[in-house]
Amino acid sequence: MRSLSKACLGLILVAGLTGAAHAQTPFGKAENAIKYRQSAMFIMGQHFGRIGAVAKGERPYNKDEVARSAAIAAEMSKLPWEGFAAGTDKGETHAKPEIWTDAAKFKSDGEKMEQEMAKLAEVAKGGDLAAIKTQFGATGKTCKSCHDDFKKK
Ligand code: ASC
């Protein structure tokens, strides 16, 4: 009896710990975390790309469309980070291990990108195409520098 209740206690503890580990990530499984961050970046890339096409003169400039794209991109820029949960370095991902081994730089690069995206959304509301082009360039630099360090080709 004694050993049975000990075994039961052990099982309860293991179940509790497993539950706690699970609670650390809202994704359930690594694959979902990877899909989540990739989805946010895909939508961000789509809308950032539309602004890029306008900046390059490949699409006509429409103030509301660009402002909407910039607002969506800025909102998406807040999302990828929680998808880089521990244990999500393997699988269908271009994430470099440095994301976890140099987490401070990754965080600061991400914050810079978010700030520039937010600025782009502000500038886009103003409707000054030259200013939008300038801010588009500044924002793209923050995408690129983070990808150079933390994304596998
Ligand atoms: C994009 C996109 C990126 C960045 C980067 C900017 O539209 O998909 O990864 O911009 O190319 O330099």
Side-chain angles (χ1 to χ4, degrees):
M1 271 303 270
R2 270 184 79 122
S3 65
L4 188 62
S5 46
K6 263 190 192 161
C8 281
L9 188 64
L11 272 179
I12 290 164
L13 275 175
V14 166
L17 285 174
T18 309
H22 215 246
Q24 281 169 9
T25 161
F27 298 106
K29 50 182 180 175
E31 193 189 322
N32 287 347
I34 292 170
K35 212 187 262 185
Y36 181 93
R37 71 201 188 207
Q38 288 176 347
S39 302
M41 285 188 281
F42 177 75
I43 300 289
M44 178 164 56
Q46 285 291 302
H47 285 279
F48 191 67
R50 289 185 199 182
I51 301 169
V54 172
K56 285 183 219 145
E58 295 166 1
R59 272 170 70 90
Y61 174 52
N62 176 291
K63 183 186 167 182
D64 291 343
E65 270 178 26
V66 167
R68 176 175 175 270
S69 276
I72 293 169
E75 200 56 36
M76 290 303 111
S77 76
K78 301 171 190 172
L79 302 184
W81 322 120
E82 72 173 298
F84 291 96
T88 63
D89 54 330
K90 295 193 180 62
E92 297 283 310
T93 178
H94 296 270
K96 279 191 187 173
E98 284 77 5
I99 288 170
W100 293 275
T101 58
D102 198 356
K105 180 160 198 310
F106 182 64
K107 184 166 188 280
S108 120
D109 277 7
E111 284 168 357
K112 274 183 210 150
M113 186 278 283
E114 275 187 63
Q115 284 161 14
E116 295 300 330
M117 280 289 179
K119 231 193 247 180
L120 181 60
E122 271 312 300
V123 173
K125 277 195 243 172
D128 174 347
L129 182 57
I132 292 167
K133 286 182 188 175
T134 302
Q135 184 53 32
F136 174 83
T139 308
K141 275 184 192 161
T142 65
C143 304
K144 187 180 184 305
S145 73
C146 192
H147 286 170
D148 286 349
D149 287 343
F150 296 109
K151 186 183 177 189
K152 285 181 206 158
K153 295 290 171 291

